[in-house]
Amino acid sequence: QVQLVESGGGLVQAGGSLRLSCAASRRIFSLYHAGWFRQAPGKEREFVAAISVRGGTTVVADSVKGRFTISGDDAKNAVYLQMNSLKPEDTAVYYCTADSTFPPKEPYAYWGQGIQVTVSS
């Protein structure tokens, strides 16, 4: 069983930046596509960004385009989400996923427990 663990979240003021990391317990991101999703209270899970195997293709949601960047490091079994110019509406629990489908979609092959990102105004 593969485990995905997110880190790097926290509280930040609007306009600030955070870098989320997703570490896999086993080699996986050279085999599966990776993605980031988020869910705010009372809302459905929302796609944020995805990166294909070997990083050949990336997709970023319109709501975060120009502000968020997804990247990966196969050697470290990790994917990252650089978040700049954060807005209060970015507040949510962010989840890392891995899947054979690009962009990843439910049911995901693997997903993390999520990490809280809170942006204050």
Side-chain angles (χ1 to χ4, degrees):
Q1 185 69 38
V2 175
Q3 291 184 321
L4 302 179
V5 181
E6 302 95 338
S7 62
L11 174 65
V12 65
Q13 292 187 355
S17 299
L18 285 174
R19 182 179 176 85
L20 302 184
S21 297
C22 174
S25 60
R26 291 160 46 191
R27 183 188 182 198
I28 184 172
F29 296 121
S30 61
L31 304 174
Y32 289 84
H33 310 296
W36 288 94
F37 292 77
R38 66 186 183 186
Q39 187 166 23
K43 294 186 177 181
E44 295 184 350
R45 187 180 303 172
E46 174 189 20
F47 169 77
V48 177
I51 185 168
S52 64
V53 172
R54 296 292 189 93
T57 304
T58 60
V59 178
V60 181
D62 289 340
S63 61
V64 302
K65 190 170 297 182
R67 299 187 297 120
F68 291 12
T69 302
I70 187 171
S71 61
D73 188 334
D74 290 342
K76 296 182 178 180
N77 294 324
V79 294
Y80 309 96
L81 184 67
Q82 178 66 46
M83 305 184 293
N84 299 323
S85 301
L86 284 162
K87 304 175 181 179
E89 50 263 45
D90 293 319
T91 295
V93 175
Y94 285 70
Y95 298 89
C96 174
T97 64
D99 197 50
S100 60
T101 299
F102 184 82
K105 62 183 297 183
E106 294 182 284
Y108 312 115
Y110 306 100
W111 68 92
Q113 293 300 303
I115 189 165
Q116 180 71 46
V117 171
T118 302
V119 184
S120 62
S121 59

